[in-house]
């Protein structure tokens, strides 16, 4: 793999930089070198050193921009520079002061079905899980990542935190109110709710 | 369709009351694909349009007898395959037959104003439907958010002055869950018995535990004071996590302690 | 206000560009010129033309980047360019939803003929529009009810929303792809079905 990426070094570097930027900007999360490499298929997977070079190039590119690339525990993240906070703060003041129904539904599913992936949640009809939602729940420290499912894409598994239990005054997850008398519609494994033939999709 | 001819091989379909043992050649559809193709029609107009366009015919000069015949063959095939046939298909069949019968009648009353209306209306509807059909395709080809283009989502600066996050009551969460379950229920393929929450809890504890260390002995996952029930719950949790391909369970030799660790990505996963 | 911003033009332009970039990247949403102006306090509020100039400058800056600035739904948005979609898709395991023809046709009719009732849609499509489909479109916030037609039953009139424009990257309804030309039946030469006398034709 190393040999391949080395030989194409000149050609791939600019593109790799763009791909990494796209991934970091779209995910809004900290991504590891491995996750960045995994954006490519096996044959085209860039070498670790190429990824590092691309990250360094991005950091230079951002010198005069409003964003910065920072290394945090376990990976890299793009964030808005501190000096823009006063301006950006205006945006957040307009935000609604209530959580959306979709966010609460996402939280409820994580609480009752943990550990659960984003697509497990999405598979339950009608709940779209945006990155923003997961971020909001993480920032509130109500959910955290407890692992990855070993399926393609290695999706994160979410579970609730101690803070969640404390906020809702629960001694443990067992103390969650029992599910209502609905006949149980949610299979945990395999998740089989998307009806591909549904004409409304 | 009310009588079924007693034949040695059951007829594929009944067309005009006659058993049909082979698909008409001019349908150009392999039998396996027939059901799928029939299901893809969005209605009688779509089917009619398909029959017309398949033969590169001009909507403004449709060979009525032939198209009507083909349309009726499709309708009978759909009924033979027990596809749920919307009433609209039958209404269209009746309309086509009516137009056809009027054309066949001696045209001794050229000022009959009804006849051109029926035809012109149908053709106008076909044209209009085709236009929307193409517009839908064009719409689908626009760059869609989350499919073709992606929103940016990056972290705001720290210490951002912000208003306190909204309060949430546990009943809100419960209500949300109830709603989502109610919705999901309509799409359930089969029913599964709810597992006890304590096992879910245990699964999360085990996963969280394994984030900090590489592997753990199964015995270390057990807590003495939980007794027999605790062992059962832990075992079930481990089995469930193994089934979900999250955990590997390794035994170096017979009767050696079981080592539990997070699943390693296998070669298969990388290929996919 | 205009005078102030004009006089500081040389000094403020680069900073304004960065502030706008920070706001667009942080919000991840469509922001209007007014919202961008409102990032500044009254005394420092930039003139509309300055905001436009900064937006144009950003667009140029992004020529070789993975992102682009587009005019959408009456505002502006920064988004990841389409060519990076295959890479971004790797970040999330779930495949993008494909919508059924039935749903797209219904949506197209609402988009091009709004405001429109359910029975108007049924008349063109020749099939029943299910309640579920309308619900799906409403839940996606692509359509909403804008009134009732004053006929018996007072049927709801549907129209598309701002979210619809944002989802499909349209600056306004005028930016919808033009409808294909109807092959025009001539008024003096009405269309007819040909009656082949040979039924076996």
């Amino acid at each position: 793999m190393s040999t391949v990426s080395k030989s194409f070094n000149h050609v791939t570097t600019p593109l790799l930089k763009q791909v990494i930027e796209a991934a970091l900007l779209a995910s809004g999360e900290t991504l590891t070198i491995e996750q960045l490499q995994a954006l490519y298929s096996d044959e085209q997977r860039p070498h670790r050193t190429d990824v590092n070079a691309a990250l360094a190039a991005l950091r230079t590119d951002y010198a005069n921009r409003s964003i910065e690339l920072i290394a945090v525990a376990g990976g890299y993240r793009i964030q808005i520079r501190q000096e823009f906070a006063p301006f950006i703060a205006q945006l957040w003041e307009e935000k609604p002061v209530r959580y959306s129904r979709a966010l609460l539904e996402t939280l409820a599913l994580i609480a009752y079905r943990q550990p659960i992936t984003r697509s497990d949640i999405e598979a339950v009809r009608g709940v779209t899980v945006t990155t923003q939602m997961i971020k909001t729940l993480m920032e509130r420290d109500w959910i955290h990542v407890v692992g990855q499912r070993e399926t393609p894409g290695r999706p994160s598994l979410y579970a609730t935190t101690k803070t969640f239990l404390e906020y809702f005054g629960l001694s443990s997850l067992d103390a969650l109110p029992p599910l209502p008398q609905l006949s149980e519609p949610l299979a945990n494994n395999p998740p089989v709710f998307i009806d591909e033939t549904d004409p409304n999709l | 369709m009310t009588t079924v001819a007693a034949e040695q091989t059951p007829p594929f379909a009944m067309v005009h009351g006659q058993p049909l043992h082979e698909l008409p050649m001019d349908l150009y559809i392999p039998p396996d694909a027939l059901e799928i193709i029939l299901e893809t029609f969005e209605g009688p107009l779509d089917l009619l349009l398909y029959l017309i366009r398949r033969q590169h015919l001009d909507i403004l000069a449709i060979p009525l007898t032939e198209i009507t015949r083909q349309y009726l063959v499709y309708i009978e095939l759909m009924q033979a395959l027990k596809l749920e046939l919307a009433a609209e298909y039958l209404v269209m069949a009746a309309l086509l037959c009516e137009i056809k019968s009027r054309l066949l009648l001696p045209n001794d009353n050229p000022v009959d104003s009804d006849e051109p209306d029926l035809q012109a209306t149908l053709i106008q509807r076909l044209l209009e439907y085709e236009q929307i059909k193409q517009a839908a395709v064009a719409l689908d080809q626009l760059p869609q958010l989350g499919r073709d283009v992606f929103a940016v989502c990056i972290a705001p600066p720290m210490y951002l002055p912000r208003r306190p996050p909204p309060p949430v009551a546990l009943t809100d969460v419960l209500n949300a869950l109830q709603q989502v379950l109610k919705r999901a229920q309509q799409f359930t393929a089969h029913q599964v018995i709810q597992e006890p929450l304590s096992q879910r809890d245990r699964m999360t504890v085990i996963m969280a535990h394994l984030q900090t260390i590489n592997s753990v002995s199964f015995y270390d996952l057990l807590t003495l004071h939980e007794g027999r029930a605790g062992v059962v719950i832990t075992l079930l949790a481990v089995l469930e996590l193994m089934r979900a391909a999250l955990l590997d369970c390794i035994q170096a030799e017979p009767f050696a302690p079981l080592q539990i660790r997070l699943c390693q990505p296998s070669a298969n996963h990388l290929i996919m």
Side-chain angles (χ1 to χ4, degrees), chain A, chain B:
Chain A
M1 210 188 295
S2 155
T3 337
V4 175
S5 72
K6 281 278 152 57
S7 63
F8 283 110
N9 211 12
H10 290 298
V11 186
T12 55
T13 304
L15 189 59
L16 175 61
K17 185 177 83 171
Q18 291 176 321
V19 168
I20 290 175
E21 180 183 55
L24 288 170
L25 287 176
S27 85
E29 292 167 16
T30 303
L31 296 179
T32 62
I33 302 267
E34 291 73 26
Q35 282 174 306
L36 293 172
Q37 288 175 301
L39 298 172
Y40 286 83
S41 61
D42 281 354
E43 315 84 59
Q44 297 180 305
R45 190 152 298 159
H47 195 262
R48 209 181 166 83
T49 52
D50 295 335
V51 174
N52 275 318
L55 287 166
L58 279 179
R59 199 171 304 199
T60 316
D61 289 350
Y62 296 161
N64 292 315
R65 302 220 75 93
S66 60
I67 50 178
E68 61 190 343
L69 177 72
I70 60 161
V72 288
Y76 293 85
R77 191 174 71 190
I78 290 176
Q79 64 178 26
I80 309 280
R81 286 182 194 278
Q82 190 61 48
E83 57 260 47
F84 294 96
F87 295 101
I88 306 301
Q90 308 287 324
L91 291 172
W92 264 262
E93 299 212 339
E94 296 172 17
K95 291 275 163 171
V97 290
R98 283 177 59 89
Y99 285 136
S100 67
R101 199 189 70 183
L103 186 127
L104 290 177
E105 288 178 2
T106 302
L107 177 64
L109 281 169
I110 293 173
Y112 280 89
R113 304 284 162 188
Q114 56 190 287
I116 189 171
T117 68
R118 200 156 131 167
S119 74
D120 290 342
I121 302 170
E122 298 213 336
V124 183
R125 189 129 180 115
V127 192
T128 29
V129 182
T130 62
T131 307
Q132 192 60 52
M133 249 179 235
I134 294 288
K135 233 173 88 184
T136 303
L137 291 172
M138 298 261 249
E139 277 172 5
R140 194 108 195 231
D141 193 20
W142 280 351
I143 64 165
H144 62 157
V145 174
V146 290
Q148 274 82 33
R149 182 169 293 158
E150 289 306 332
T151 49
R154 304 193 74 238
S156 293
L157 287 160
Y158 298 99
T160 52
T161 60
K162 236 189 197 150
T163 315
F164 169 83
L165 292 178
E166 282 163 11
Y167 183 90
F168 290 102
L170 300 165
S171 53
S172 75
L173 282 179
D174 294 336
L176 271 173
L179 282 179
Q181 270 69 354
L182 280 170
S183 49
E184 184 50 62
L186 277 178
N188 155 55
N189 205 353
V192 277
F193 325 108
I194 293 187
D195 180 9
E196 305 280 2
T197 58
D198 176 20
N200 298 312
L201 263 182
Chain B
M1 287 310 298
T2 48
T3 58
V4 176
E7 297 278 340
Q8 284 182 326
T9 54
F12 189 79
M14 300 288 284
V15 178
H16 300 310
Q18 296 299 311
L20 185 71
H21 289 277
E22 284 177 13
L23 282 175
M25 292 305 288
D26 56 359
L27 283 178
Y28 303 119
I29 303 165
D32 301 349
L34 185 65
E35 196 165 339
I36 300 161
I37 291 173
L38 288 176
E39 279 182 339
T40 63
F41 291 119
E42 287 301 332
L45 288 170
D46 197 24
L47 171 55
L48 206 49
L49 205 56
Y50 165 78
L51 294 174
I52 294 163
R53 287 306 183 203
R54 189 187 63 186
Q55 295 167 60
H56 307 288
L57 297 174
D58 188 349
I59 289 187
L60 302 184
I62 302 165
L64 179 72
T65 304
E66 177 58 15
I67 288 297
T68 303
R69 190 185 68 78
Q70 290 186 8
Y71 184 89
L72 292 176
V73 168
Y74 267 90
I75 295 305
E76 304 226 9
L77 282 176
M78 286 197 203
Q79 288 177 328
L81 288 168
K82 304 223 179 338
L83 295 180
E84 201 183 316
L85 194 57
E88 293 97 339
Y89 282 95
L90 301 175
V91 172
M92 178 63 74
L95 177 64
L96 284 170
C97 289
E98 186 174 356
I99 296 175
K100 186 180 143 189
S101 66
R102 289 195 190 192
L103 282 174
L104 291 176
L105 285 175
N107 198 5
D108 50 5
N109 185 8
V111 283
D112 184 348
S113 58
D114 281 354
E115 184 185 311
D117 271 357
L118 275 184
Q119 289 183 50
T121 309
L122 179 55
I123 287 170
Q124 186 60 39
R125 286 181 66 196
L126 278 170
L127 287 170
E128 226 180 322
Y129 176 68
E130 187 172 48
Q131 189 186 39
I132 280 305
K133 201 177 145 177
Q134 290 172 16
V137 171
L139 193 64
D140 195 34
Q141 283 167 350
L142 290 175
Q144 292 175 28
L145 194 60
R147 185 190 77 174
D148 307 304
V149 296
F150 294 86
V152 290
C153 173
I154 70 175
M158 292 207 316
Y159 317 119
L160 191 65
R162 55 172 80 184
R163 46 178 58 189
V168 176
L170 190 55
T171 49
D172 294 340
V173 178
L174 202 62
N175 285 338
L177 188 74
Q178 232 166 339
Q179 286 197 358
V180 85
L181 292 187
K182 216 179 283 169
R183 267 206 317 279
Q185 203 162 26
Q186 303 165 17
F187 301 95
T188 313
H190 47 82
Q191 309 282 315
V192 173
I193 296 156
Q194 157 89 66
E195 298 158 56
L197 265 173
S198 47
Q199 183 193 321
R200 298 246 141 230
D201 198 3
R202 187 56 50 94
M203 286 162 69
T204 299
V205 168
I206 293 171
M207 288 303 289
H209 192 51
L210 283 169
Q211 296 307 303
T212 50
I213 52 171
N214 275 335
S215 76
V216 62
S217 149
F218 179 71
Y219 300 111
D220 291 343
L221 292 174
L222 305 177
T223 319
L224 191 61
H225 71 82
E226 286 180 345
R228 191 183 290 265
V231 176
V232 172
I233 289 298
T234 307
L235 181 64
L236 286 176
V238 168
L239 289 175
E240 186 59 39
L241 287 166
M242 283 171 67
R243 191 162 70 109
L246 294 169
L247 289 189
D248 278 336
C249 188
I250 302 148
Q251 194 173 28
E253 57 189 72
F255 308 112
L258 293 172
Q259 283 297 121
I260 314 282
R261 62 169 197 192
L262 290 177
C263 243
Q264 306 301 315
S266 71
N268 281 344
H269 292 142
L270 290 177
I271 287 166
M272 293 166 79

